Amino acid sequence: MHAPTLRRRPRTLAHELVESLGDRIRGGQLQAGDKLPTEAAIMEAFDVSRTVVREAISKLQAAGLVETRHGIGTFVLGAGDGPSFKITPEQFSTLQDVIAVLELRIGLETEAAGLAALRRSEANLLALRKALDAVIAAVEAGQDSVAADFQFHLEIARATQNSHFADLMQTLGAQIIPRARLEPSVEMSAERLAYMRRVNTEHENILDAIASQDAESARAAMRTHLSNSRERRRRAQAEAA
């Protein structure tokens, strides 16, 4: 009797895909400025699911190897050999890790929101509205909203007109959204839907302040948004203890 074949877990497949694409970037087959193949092409070439491709791209972003430009595609940044700040996926493995990153985000994104309110263009506002609409649509459809949520925060960084904010956010990647690490496949229960709607109300408050060019309100709205997320994780940590 043959032993049953064990299927590799998606997370293992994603790691293998990251290694394969990373090797091509470091080996020069994919060079800075090159556009990665489409999700569909990567799925076919490596025989993996869309979920695996997206997780791999997120990890490559976190490693500073690629950059996703909304509506255009994903491009190679470089071989990633130089010293750079990054937070690896392993550093998001516990509630304490996620809380620590939220503390970093409070400092970074509170000021980014204030600068965005002072400097945003009409194009920035349109990009922010589009990203937030995508978050809302995903939540209401019971779908994963992590990528759209990250895009919203990234567009705020871009609206500062200071490329360092956007560069750092790109380096951190979508893994900084807490539920990307701790709640990757939680069902959209009525309670969770209500929570996600409250989160989107917080997003709307941030966008309203930026649109009104009210820097102090934008800072306060962002601090409230991220602090609420941090406190939710602190309560979960206390309950687990």
Side-chain angles (χ1 to χ4, degrees), residues 35-56:
K35 184 178 179 180
L36 290 187
T38 63
E39 284 186 355
I42 296 175
M43 288 165 61
E44 182 176 354
F46 292 89
D47 192 25
V48 293
S49 69
R50 191 176 303 276
T51 299
V52 168
V53 173
R54 288 181 175 176
E55 182 174 348

PDB file of all heavy atoms in Angstrom, residues 35-56:
ATOM      1  N   LYS A  35       9.952  44.530 -15.946  1.00  0.00           N
ATOM      2  CA  LYS A  35       8.610  44.250 -15.444  1.00  0.00           C
ATOM      3  C   LYS A  35       8.439  42.749 -15.278  1.00  0.00           C
ATOM      4  O   LYS A  35       8.779  41.984 -16.185  1.00  0.00           O
ATOM      5  CB  LYS A  35       7.554  44.794 -16.415  1.00  0.00           C
ATOM      6  CG  LYS A  35       6.119  44.634 -15.935  1.00  0.00           C
ATOM      7  CD  LYS A  35       5.145  45.239 -16.940  1.00  0.00           C
ATOM      8  CE  LYS A  35       3.701  45.065 -16.486  1.00  0.00           C
ATOM      9  NZ  LYS A  35       2.752  45.650 -17.473  1.00  0.00           N
ATOM     10  N   LEU A  36       7.950  42.324 -14.110  1.00  0.00           N
ATOM     11  CA  LEU A  36       7.705  40.905 -13.886  1.00  0.00           C
ATOM     12  C   LEU A  36       6.558  40.433 -14.781  1.00  0.00           C
ATOM     13  O   LEU A  36       5.682  41.213 -15.160  1.00  0.00           O
ATOM     14  CB  LEU A  36       7.336  40.632 -12.428  1.00  0.00           C
ATOM     15  CG  LEU A  36       8.422  40.775 -11.360  1.00  0.00           C
ATOM     16  CD1 LEU A  36       7.886  40.291 -10.020  1.00  0.00           C
ATOM     17  CD2 LEU A  36       9.674  40.015 -11.723  1.00  0.00           C
ATOM     18  N   PRO A  37       6.541  39.143 -15.119  1.00  0.00           N
ATOM     19  CA  PRO A  37       5.399  38.608 -15.862  1.00  0.00           C
ATOM     20  C   PRO A  37       4.108  38.825 -15.073  1.00  0.00           C
ATOM     21  O   PRO A  37       4.129  39.065 -13.866  1.00  0.00           O
ATOM     22  CB  PRO A  37       5.728  37.111 -15.981  1.00  0.00           C
ATOM     23  CG  PRO A  37       7.213  37.030 -15.814  1.00  0.00           C
ATOM     24  CD  PRO A  37       7.567  38.115 -14.852  1.00  0.00           C
ATOM     25  N   THR A  38       2.975  38.737 -15.738  1.00  0.00           N
ATOM     26  CA  THR A  38       1.684  38.898 -15.070  1.00  0.00           C
ATOM     27  C   THR A  38       1.450  37.775 -14.074  1.00  0.00           C
ATOM     28  O   THR A  38       2.116  36.736 -14.130  1.00  0.00           O
ATOM     29  CB  THR A  38       0.542  38.886 -16.096  1.00  0.00           C
ATOM     30  OG1 THR A  38       0.516  37.597 -16.737  1.00  0.00           O
ATOM     31  CG2 THR A  38       0.723  39.983 -17.131  1.00  0.00           C
ATOM     32  N   GLU A  39       0.488  37.978 -13.172  1.00  0.00           N
ATOM     33  CA  GLU A  39       0.138  36.930 -12.217  1.00  0.00           C
ATOM     34  C   GLU A  39      -0.205  35.641 -12.948  1.00  0.00           C
ATOM     35  O   GLU A  39       0.225  34.541 -12.553  1.00  0.00           O
ATOM     36  CB  GLU A  39      -1.059  37.360 -11.358  1.00  0.00           C
ATOM     37  CG  GLU A  39      -0.740  38.348 -10.272  1.00  0.00           C
ATOM     38  CD  GLU A  39      -1.940  38.615  -9.390  1.00  0.00           C
ATOM     39  OE1 GLU A  39      -3.038  38.098  -9.695  1.00  0.00           O
ATOM     40  OE2 GLU A  39      -1.799  39.342  -8.394  1.00  0.00           O
ATOM     41  N   ALA A  40      -1.011  35.768 -14.003  1.00  0.00           N
ATOM     42  CA  ALA A  40      -1.442  34.582 -14.754  1.00  0.00           C
ATOM     43  C   ALA A  40      -0.254  33.841 -15.350  1.00  0.00           C
ATOM     44  O   ALA A  40      -0.194  32.605 -15.329  1.00  0.00           O
ATOM     45  CB  ALA A  40      -2.425  34.984 -15.850  1.00  0.00           C
ATOM     46  N   ALA A  41       0.716  34.598 -15.868  1.00  0.00           N
ATOM     47  CA  ALA A  41       1.897  33.976 -16.475  1.00  0.00           C
ATOM     48  C   ALA A  41       2.740  33.259 -15.420  1.00  0.00           C
ATOM     49  O   ALA A  41       3.250  32.156 -15.657  1.00  0.00           O
ATOM     50  CB  ALA A  41       2.731  35.034 -17.202  1.00  0.00           C
ATOM     51  N   ILE A  42       2.899  33.877 -14.258  1.00  0.00           N
ATOM     52  CA  ILE A  42       3.671  33.245 -13.180  1.00  0.00           C
ATOM     53  C   ILE A  42       2.942  31.992 -12.675  1.00  0.00           C
ATOM     54  O   ILE A  42       3.563  30.950 -12.417  1.00  0.00           O
ATOM     55  CB  ILE A  42       3.909  34.240 -12.025  1.00  0.00           C
ATOM     56  CG1 ILE A  42       4.781  35.403 -12.503  1.00  0.00           C
ATOM     57  CG2 ILE A  42       4.581  33.538 -10.836  1.00  0.00           C
ATOM     58  CD1 ILE A  42       4.975  36.498 -11.463  1.00  0.00           C
ATOM     59  N   MET A  43       1.606  32.087 -12.546  1.00  0.00           N
ATOM     60  CA  MET A  43       0.816  30.925 -12.123  1.00  0.00           C
ATOM     61  C   MET A  43       1.040  29.747 -13.063  1.00  0.00           C
ATOM     62  O   MET A  43       1.236  28.608 -12.620  1.00  0.00           O
ATOM     63  CB  MET A  43      -0.675  31.294 -12.101  1.00  0.00           C
ATOM     64  CG  MET A  43      -1.075  32.227 -10.971  1.00  0.00           C
ATOM     65  SD  MET A  43      -2.711  32.982 -11.232  1.00  0.00           S
ATOM     66  CE  MET A  43      -3.753  31.510 -11.273  1.00  0.00           C
ATOM     67  N   GLU A  44       1.030  30.032 -14.363  1.00  0.00           N
ATOM     68  CA  GLU A  44       1.202  28.965 -15.354  1.00  0.00           C
ATOM     69  C   GLU A  44       2.626  28.424 -15.349  1.00  0.00           C
ATOM     70  O   GLU A  44       2.846  27.209 -15.394  1.00  0.00           O
ATOM     71  CB  GLU A  44       0.840  29.488 -16.744  1.00  0.00           C
ATOM     72  CG  GLU A  44       0.941  28.422 -17.837  1.00  0.00           C
ATOM     73  CD  GLU A  44       0.474  28.943 -19.186  1.00  0.00           C
ATOM     74  OE1 GLU A  44      -0.028  30.090 -19.246  1.00  0.00           O
ATOM     75  OE2 GLU A  44       0.617  28.192 -20.171  1.00  0.00           O
ATOM     76  N   ALA A  45       3.597  29.326 -15.278  1.00  0.00           N
ATOM     77  CA  ALA A  45       5.001  28.917 -15.344  1.00  0.00           C
ATOM     78  C   ALA A  45       5.421  28.068 -14.151  1.00  0.00           C
ATOM     79  O   ALA A  45       6.213  27.124 -14.294  1.00  0.00           O
ATOM     80  CB  ALA A  45       5.897  30.149 -15.457  1.00  0.00           C
ATOM     81  N   PHE A  46       4.881  28.400 -12.953  1.00  0.00           N
ATOM     82  CA  PHE A  46       5.291  27.707 -11.741  1.00  0.00           C
ATOM     83  C   PHE A  46       4.230  26.750 -11.197  1.00  0.00           C
ATOM     84  O   PHE A  46       4.439  26.110 -10.168  1.00  0.00           O
ATOM     85  CB  PHE A  46       5.682  28.725 -10.651  1.00  0.00           C
ATOM     86  CG  PHE A  46       6.932  29.492 -10.960  1.00  0.00           C
ATOM     87  CD1 PHE A  46       6.874  30.691 -11.679  1.00  0.00           C
ATOM     88  CD2 PHE A  46       8.168  29.032 -10.558  1.00  0.00           C
ATOM     89  CE1 PHE A  46       8.027  31.409 -11.972  1.00  0.00           C
ATOM     90  CE2 PHE A  46       9.327  29.748 -10.839  1.00  0.00           C
ATOM     91  CZ  PHE A  46       9.250  30.936 -11.560  1.00  0.00           C
ATOM     92  N   ASP A  47       3.084  26.678 -11.898  1.00  0.00           N
ATOM     93  CA  ASP A  47       1.999  25.783 -11.502  1.00  0.00           C
ATOM     94  C   ASP A  47       1.575  26.028 -10.052  1.00  0.00           C
ATOM     95  O   ASP A  47       1.535  25.122  -9.228  1.00  0.00           O
ATOM     96  CB  ASP A  47       2.415  24.315 -11.680  1.00  0.00           C
ATOM     97  CG  ASP A  47       1.223  23.363 -11.558  1.00  0.00           C
ATOM     98  OD1 ASP A  47       0.066  23.809 -11.824  1.00  0.00           O
ATOM     99  OD2 ASP A  47       1.422  22.191 -11.163  1.00  0.00           O
ATOM    100  N   VAL A  48       1.270  27.297  -9.757  1.00  0.00           N
ATOM    101  CA  VAL A  48       0.832  27.667  -8.411  1.00  0.00           C
ATOM    102  C   VAL A  48      -0.439  28.508  -8.518  1.00  0.00           C
ATOM    103  O   VAL A  48      -0.814  28.957  -9.597  1.00  0.00           O
ATOM    104  CB  VAL A  48       1.922  28.470  -7.658  1.00  0.00           C
ATOM    105  CG1 VAL A  48       3.128  27.606  -7.369  1.00  0.00           C
ATOM    106  CG2 VAL A  48       2.328  29.716  -8.449  1.00  0.00           C
ATOM    107  N   SER A  49      -1.087  28.718  -7.385  1.00  0.00           N
ATOM    108  CA  SER A  49      -2.330  29.483  -7.358  1.00  0.00           C
ATOM    109  C   SER A  49      -2.050  30.985  -7.326  1.00  0.00           C
ATOM    110  O   SER A  49      -0.928  31.429  -7.053  1.00  0.00           O
ATOM    111  CB  SER A  49      -3.149  29.109  -6.123  1.00  0.00           C
ATOM    112  OG  SER A  49      -2.507  29.568  -4.951  1.00  0.00           O
ATOM    113  N   ARG A  50      -3.096  31.774  -7.553  1.00  0.00           N
ATOM    114  CA  ARG A  50      -2.985  33.229  -7.484  1.00  0.00           C
ATOM    115  C   ARG A  50      -2.587  33.673  -6.075  1.00  0.00           C
ATOM    116  O   ARG A  50      -1.806  34.614  -5.899  1.00  0.00           O
ATOM    117  CB  ARG A  50      -4.315  33.871  -7.884  1.00  0.00           C
ATOM    118  CG  ARG A  50      -4.234  35.384  -8.092  1.00  0.00           C
ATOM    119  CD  ARG A  50      -5.564  35.937  -8.590  1.00  0.00           C
ATOM    120  NE  ARG A  50      -6.002  35.291  -9.816  1.00  0.00           N
ATOM    121  CZ  ARG A  50      -5.594  35.649 -11.032  1.00  0.00           C
ATOM    122  NH1 ARG A  50      -4.752  36.663 -11.162  1.00  0.00           N
ATOM    123  NH2 ARG A  50      -6.038  35.017 -12.103  1.00  0.00           N
ATOM    124  N   THR A  51      -3.118  32.979  -5.051  1.00  0.00           N
ATOM    125  CA  THR A  51      -2.783  33.312  -3.662  1.00  0.00           C
ATOM    126  C   THR A  51      -1.294  33.165  -3.406  1.00  0.00           C
ATOM    127  O   THR A  51      -0.669  34.012  -2.760  1.00  0.00           O
ATOM    128  CB  THR A  51      -3.559  32.404  -2.694  1.00  0.00           C
ATOM    129  OG1 THR A  51      -4.951  32.612  -2.882  1.00  0.00           O
ATOM    130  CG2 THR A  51      -3.192  32.698  -1.250  1.00  0.00           C
ATOM    131  N   VAL A  52      -0.703  32.089  -3.930  1.00  0.00           N
ATOM    132  CA  VAL A  52       0.731  31.851  -3.768  1.00  0.00           C
ATOM    133  C   VAL A  52       1.534  32.949  -4.458  1.00  0.00           C
ATOM    134  O   VAL A  52       2.505  33.473  -3.904  1.00  0.00           O
ATOM    135  CB  VAL A  52       1.120  30.461  -4.322  1.00  0.00           C
ATOM    136  CG1 VAL A  52       2.636  30.317  -4.423  1.00  0.00           C
ATOM    137  CG2 VAL A  52       0.552  29.359  -3.432  1.00  0.00           C
ATOM    138  N   VAL A  53       1.124  33.322  -5.670  1.00  0.00           N
ATOM    139  CA  VAL A  53       1.838  34.373  -6.411  1.00  0.00           C
ATOM    140  C   VAL A  53       1.802  35.685  -5.636  1.00  0.00           C
ATOM    141  O   VAL A  53       2.816  36.362  -5.486  1.00  0.00           O
ATOM    142  CB  VAL A  53       1.233  34.566  -7.818  1.00  0.00           C
ATOM    143  CG1 VAL A  53       1.871  35.768  -8.509  1.00  0.00           C
ATOM    144  CG2 VAL A  53       1.437  33.311  -8.657  1.00  0.00           C
ATOM    145  N   ARG A  54       0.619  36.043  -5.117  1.00  0.00           N
ATOM    146  CA  ARG A  54       0.487  37.316  -4.410  1.00  0.00           C
ATOM    147  C   ARG A  54       1.301  37.329  -3.120  1.00  0.00           C
ATOM    148  O   ARG A  54       1.887  38.348  -2.756  1.00  0.00           O
ATOM    149  CB  ARG A  54      -0.991  37.599  -4.143  1.00  0.00           C
ATOM    150  CG  ARG A  54      -1.736  37.962  -5.418  1.00  0.00           C
ATOM    151  CD  ARG A  54      -3.193  38.276  -5.195  1.00  0.00           C
ATOM    152  NE  ARG A  54      -3.823  38.720  -6.436  1.00  0.00           N
ATOM    153  CZ  ARG A  54      -5.110  38.999  -6.577  1.00  0.00           C
ATOM    154  NH1 ARG A  54      -5.919  38.876  -5.537  1.00  0.00           N
ATOM    155  NH2 ARG A  54      -5.593  39.389  -7.744  1.00  0.00           N
ATOM    156  N   GLU A  55       1.334  36.194  -2.414  1.00  0.00           N
ATOM    157  CA  GLU A  55       2.142  36.145  -1.189  1.00  0.00           C
ATOM    158  C   GLU A  55       3.622  36.274  -1.527  1.00  0.00           C
ATOM    159  O   GLU A  55       4.374  36.980  -0.840  1.00  0.00           O
ATOM    160  CB  GLU A  55       1.897  34.843  -0.422  1.00  0.00           C
ATOM    161  CG  GLU A  55       2.691  34.788   0.873  1.00  0.00           C
ATOM    162  CD  GLU A  55       2.381  33.579   1.738  1.00  0.00           C
ATOM    163  OE1 GLU A  55       1.395  32.874   1.460  1.00  0.00           O
ATOM    164  OE2 GLU A  55       3.140  33.352   2.697  1.00  0.00           O
ATOM    165  N   ALA A  56       4.038  35.627  -2.611  1.00  0.00           N
ATOM    166  CA  ALA A  56       5.445  35.699  -3.023  1.00  0.00           C
ATOM    167  C   ALA A  56       5.822  37.126  -3.414  1.00  0.00           C
ATOM    168  O   ALA A  56       6.892  37.623  -3.038  1.00  0.00           O
ATOM    169  CB  ALA A  56       5.704  34.743  -4.185  1.00  0.00           C
TER     170      ALA A  56
END
